Amino acid sequence: MSSLLMAFSSAKLSRTCRNSVGFRVTESGFPSFLPKEVEKIKDPYAIKLAQRIERLPVKISFAENSILSSCVKPSVQNEKHPLVLLHGFDSSCLEWRYTYPLLEEAGMETWAVDILGWGFSDLSIRPPCNVTSKREHLFQLWKSYIRRPMILVGPSLGAAVAIDFALNHPEAVEKLVLIGASVHTEGTGKLSTLPKIIAYAGVSLLKSVPLRLYANYLGFSGISFNSAVDWTNASQRKAFGLMILDARGRIQIGRLHCLLPWWEDATVDFMISGGYNVCQQIQQIKQETLIIWGENDQIISNTLAMRLNTELQNSTLHQIPNAGHLPHVEKPDSISELIVNFVQEGKITEKESVYNL
């Protein structure tokens, strides 16, 4: 992680108001619109990225007023296609806390954007957060601020967001990067038929610490609560304690956006709308695509990585050893290297699968 520290220490980070909206910054350097619990975060990479989050006004057709939309803007600009990093289901741009600085250090013009309904945007007007709304919001943000064909990066459900967007707005997407792609499910399924009162009860569980702890167990490689710990062995006790502390830190970061007052409404709206169903759209994607998968992904099987590689017209697959569902959190050096090479290299000439990095 030493390269991460170097990257962040060299980044030009401002603690003053950073856009025309004029949001305030706290004494700790965090934008004032973040939940106050951000002050409890200890992870230095999460702290640095959180301090850079800002809100940009995005005008959309389904609301009278612009939505103040949260993102991290690039500190560098160049002539290459900009990178736009999405996130997974019920997450935020903080998902990129380890990989983002490495991409900037490599000279990439990099945005980290919160998908409408999640992250830290101001949704006090309670806009619809269905697939169509998410797509329009991302397009209007791109049209207003990015304005050039981008390399769109989507992890987990963010991959479905990316595929849906690329198919509907091909002029905005130069290439795709799909990480642990959740693209073969048929939307939210039976959840879309739940009565609202039950849907709200279910959604409230999403931010509970026990459920987030279990999600960490599934999402990351090397975490096991089934392993026997020899409590007479000091090194094993210490290792187990560090593992729990690490998981608690990830939970703190991962549920921060859930503490905003509109989070439950936005998530329920998405669930009952039916969600993303892009299974039949995959083969229509023409953009060159990099597929990245953690070899130890316990959430989405590696067999679906190979299936996706065969379905896409122009793709290459890299599997990351000793990584789970979120390799950009676990293996930031590997992921940043893959993405940078993909941005800089020429067109893929044949199907390729790489299982070692």
Side-chain angles (χ1 to χ4, degrees), residues 21 55-70 116-117 120-129 133 137 141 145:
V21 177
R55 284 174 171 173
L56 302 176
V58 175
K59 183 63 180 174
I60 32 78
S61 66
F62 49 86
E64 184 176 344
N65 299 319
S66 295
I67 291 178
L68 298 181
S69 306
S70 51
L116 180 71
F120 304 101
S121 298
D122 183 349
L123 304 182
S124 54
I125 63 173
R126 303 303 196 272
C129 293
S133 299
H137 175 261
L141 187 148
Y145 299 101

Side-chain angles (χ1 to χ4, degrees), residues 317-331:
L317 167 63
H318 284 261
Q319 298 203 50
I320 309 298
N322 303 314
H325 187 56
L326 300 173
H328 52 299
V329 178
E330 289 188 279
K331 303 289 182 181

Side-chain angles (χ1 to χ4, degrees), residues 290-295 302 305-306 309 315-321 338 345 350-357:
L290 170 64
I291 305 168
I292 303 174
W293 223 274
E295 281 189 351
N302 287 56
M306 291 175 274
N309 195 33
S315 62
T316 183
L317 167 63
H318 284 261
Q319 298 203 50
I320 309 298
L338 280 172
E345 72 184 9
E350 60 183 45
K351 283 282 183 182
E352 182 182 4
S353 293
V354 180
Y355 297 98
N356 293 293
L357 186 69

Side-chain angles (χ1 to χ4, degrees), residues 14 16-27 29-39 49-57 67-73 92-94 112 114 118-124 256-262:
S14 172
T16 60
C17 295
R18 293 181 288 269
N19 65 29
S20 58
V21 177
F23 60 82
R24 293 181 297 106
V25 177
T26 67
E27 290 183 2
F30 297 111
S32 58
F33 56 75
L34 293 181
K36 65 181 185 301
E37 286 79 3
V38 70
E39 304 280 352
L49 199 60
Q51 289 173 338
R52 290 183 59 181
I53 297 174
E54 56 187 282
R55 284 174 171 173
L56 302 176
I67 291 178
L68 298 181
S69 306
S70 51
C71 65
V72 177
K73 291 171 61 177
S92 76
C93 58
L94 292 179
D114 282 336
W118 299 306
F120 304 101
S121 298
D122 183 349
L123 304 182
S124 54
L256 185 64
H257 67 284
C258 302
L259 305 178
L260 292 170
W262 42 76

Side-chain angles (χ1 to χ4, degrees), residues 41 97 206-217 220 225 243-259:
I41 291 176
R97 57 194 177 273
L206 285 177
K207 65 179 176 183
S208 67
V209 172
L211 190 62
R212 294 271 168 173
L213 187 62
Y214 182 65
N216 268 264
Y217 163 68
F220 293 93
F225 298 110
M243 180 190 74
I244 295 298
L245 285 174
D246 189 44
R248 286 180 61 186
R250 285 198 293 260
I251 291 167
Q252 209 172 35
I253 297 163
R255 68 190 293 269
L256 185 64
H257 67 284
C258 302
L259 305 178

Side-chain angles (χ1 to χ4, degrees), residues 82-103:
L83 278 171
V84 176
L85 310 176
L86 304 177
H87 54 74
F89 171 76
D90 189 29
S91 187
S92 76
C93 58
L94 292 179
E95 200 174 289
W96 290 98
R97 57 194 177 273
Y98 302 134
T99 303
Y100 188 97
L102 297 177
L103 293 170

